[in-house]
Amino acid sequence: MAWSHQDKCAIVGVGSTDYYVRGKSWPRTINDMAAEAIMNACADAGISHKQIDGFSYYSGAGAGYLDKFDTASLMETLGMPHISYSATLTSGGGGCPGAIGLATAGLMNEDCTYSVTLMALQQLPQHRLGVVFGAAAPNPENSFLQPSGLVGPGHLMSVLARRHMHLYGTTQDAFGEVVMATRANTHNRPKAVRKNALTKEEYDASVMLADPLRRLDFCLETDGAVAVITTTMDRAKDCRHKPAVVHACAHGGQREWGRAFAWMGMPDPHFASSGHKFTADRVWAQSGLAAKDMDVALIYDHFSPMVLMQLEDYGFCEKGEGNDYVLSGKLRYDPATGKGVNGGTPVNTHGGNLNEAYIIGMTHIVEGVEQVRGTAINQVKDAEFALVSGGPASLPVSSLILRKD
């Protein structure tokens, strides 16, 4: 059954700051960076910031994982006259593309006319994401994790990765291919943090941080901000660029996944997965499409094994076949043809969280928009549909399909 909001809204503006290595954005502030990203998105859309009357957040309106956005403060910073919609999805980065669905809800209910979704983060020493669990105050839930040495997301993900290796024979070579394939897409990107080509020898020499995950299997720790603006299709046609049509969007998940690696109570086969099967099935049902119909996939890649597991959950390959799918080169983008390799779908043509910047998933939405506009740096030839995912994380995780107008 088609999604009731299908093709009725579109992303019309994208904007960002420069991307900084962790902590290097100081003395800038969260609001300063967020405001710059919003203004850049407005310029991209060809509208005034005073026309924005909605905010559609995710991560509980988080700015990073320890700061929070305040709508009134952003209005004061930007000189916005009024807002009529302010809402957020819960949990963390898993809700990133789902926030576009939240925007469509406000737009279709006529609560707002232009809604902005944004993320900004500044990882000062006391706000470093890599040790966020270890820095949390003990409580009955995280007291199970902290004494085990599981102090950061990478430690937690390593347990899921090892289980996938045990059940399906997945190899570390496949994790390395995820990193190398997406690194190959950053050499020509001005804002990318990691641009140098990566060899297998260099990957293998990367420090083991949480066995089986090496340093290069971890996403970047960066500062910066990204904003995107969503509106209705009738208004979108008056904006500067071709609209990136919101074709389908879903968020949620199954109880068996629940708090995921924040509680480690998932039974098999959910434990060795990305927790995306539920939202994947929903977004395919909403759109009448399947993995084979996607021209490009912007897969949330906070840790390399989670890309492999999402490819399985979305149906790019069968469960347990992610290792061979990845090692066949099917994630790679071929600039000579503008297509994938060996019949695959190019993944993270912008370099992703692993190589370009980690702004908690927002760079994936930007790349999806530019791909269906036809303006991406690593443009997929004749791209019509782009898949964007958010998470794995505690629920909700989310999925978005953007369509060429």
Side-chain angles (χ1 to χ4, degrees):
M1 184 175 182
W3 184 41
S4 61
H5 294 173
Q6 187 174 100
D7 299 344
K8 294 180 180 178
C9 296
I11 297 175
V12 295
V14 296
S16 68
T17 63
D18 287 335
Y19 304 136
Y20 306 87
V21 174
R22 172 176 58 85
K24 298 299 184 181
S25 62
W26 180 262
R28 300 192 70 178
T29 66
I30 288 289
N31 271 13
D32 169 31
M33 292 190 290
E36 180 187 340
I38 292 170
M39 292 299 288
N40 288 341
C42 288
D44 186 60
I47 66 170
S48 167
H49 62 284
K50 294 183 179 181
Q51 292 175 264
I52 294 174
D53 53 2
F55 283 85
S56 302
Y57 303 106
Y58 63 103
S59 192
Y65 288 111
L66 295 173
D67 288 306
K68 288 283 186 182
F69 286 120
D70 178 73
T71 297
S73 179
L74 288 169
M75 292 174 68
E76 293 165 9
T77 300
L78 287 163
M80 298 167 63
H82 64 267
I83 61 109
S84 51
Y85 185 72
S86 183
T88 184
L89 294 184
T90 54
S91 192
C96 178
I100 304 303
L102 191 64
T104 68
L107 291 162
M108 297 310 300
N109 200 44
E110 299 183 354
D111 288 326
C112 57
T113 55
Y114 294 92
S115 183
V116 65
T117 298
L118 73 154
M119 179 53 68
L121 68 163
Q122 186 175 56
Q123 298 191 64
L124 302 179
Q126 67 272 28
H127 285 189
R128 186 177 179 184
L129 300 186
V131 294
V132 64
F133 288 95
N139 63 35
E141 293 176 354
N142 64 28
S143 290
F144 168 72
L145 301 173
Q146 289 169 325
S148 305
L150 302 174
V151 299
H155 303 91
L156 301 164
M157 292 293 187
S158 71
V159 181
L160 277 61
R162 180 60 73 184
R163 184 63 178 171
H164 199 279
M165 296 171 82
H166 172 75
L167 291 176
Y168 306 114
T170 305
T171 64
Q172 199 170 56
D173 287 344
F175 305 155
E177 172 60 14
V178 171
V179 181
M180 292 184 290
T182 53
R183 176 73 69 88
N185 298 329
T186 58
H187 67 94
N188 55 353
R189 300 187 68 83
K191 291 186 177 183
V193 173
R194 288 177 178 159
K195 296 181 182 178
N196 294 334
L198 179 66
T199 67
K200 182 64 163 56
E201 291 73 23
E202 289 169 328
Y203 170 79
D204 288 340
S206 179
V207 176
M208 187 74 74
L209 294 184
D211 193 4
L213 303 186
R214 300 183 179 279
R215 180 174 178 266
L216 293 177
D217 292 307
F218 283 55
C219 68
L220 291 159
E221 290 184 286
T222 46
D223 296 0
V226 176
V228 303
I229 296 168
T230 309
T231 192
T232 55
M233 281 299 294
D234 58 336
R235 296 185 184 92
K237 295 187 184 302
D238 295 326
C239 291
R240 284 187 59 198
H241 298 288
K242 292 179 180 179
V245 182
V246 181
H247 191 62
C249 192
H251 74 269
Q254 291 176 261
R255 181 191 59 78
E256 289 86 352
W257 180 255
R259 286 178 283 119
F261 46 85
W263 74 307
M264 295 293 186
M266 308 86 79
D268 284 332
H270 303 278
F271 195 102
S273 80
S274 68
H276 271 257
K277 185 66 166 60
F278 178 83
T279 53
D281 289 347
R282 283 191 66 207
V283 84
W284 298 142
Q286 286 179 354
S287 63
L289 300 172
K292 63 180 176 59
D293 299 309
M294 297 300 104
D295 298 293
V296 61
L298 296 317
I299 302 292
Y300 197 98
D301 56 332
H302 42 1
F303 300 95
S304 61
M306 297 298 109
V307 174
L308 184 152
M309 295 184 204
Q310 285 180 81
L311 291 169
E312 294 179 348
D313 281 352
Y314 280 95
F316 289 92
C317 58
E318 295 298 320
K319 187 70 177 175
E321 295 181 0
N323 182 81
D324 292 346
Y325 183 90
V326 169
L327 290 177
S328 70
K330 291 186 176 182
L331 277 62
R332 291 185 177 257
Y333 167 75
D334 182 357
T337 63
K339 293 286 188 178
V341 174
N342 293 334
T345 300
V347 170
N348 294 351
T349 43
H350 60 315
N353 295 327
L354 291 167
N355 300 295
E356 184 187 43
Y358 177 66
I359 312 295
I360 315 186
M362 288 295 291
T363 61
H364 294 58
I365 297 178
V366 172
E367 180 69 7
V369 169
E370 293 179 346
Q371 285 288 348
V372 298
R373 279 181 179 176
T375 61
I377 293 174
N378 297 313
Q379 181 63 50
V380 174
K381 186 178 179 181
D382 301 324
E384 182 176 4
F385 293 108
L387 171 69
V388 185
S389 73
S394 297
L395 296 180
V397 297
S398 56
S399 315
L400 169 69
I401 297 175
L402 296 174
R403 181 180 67 76
K404 179 180 179 179
D405 185 39

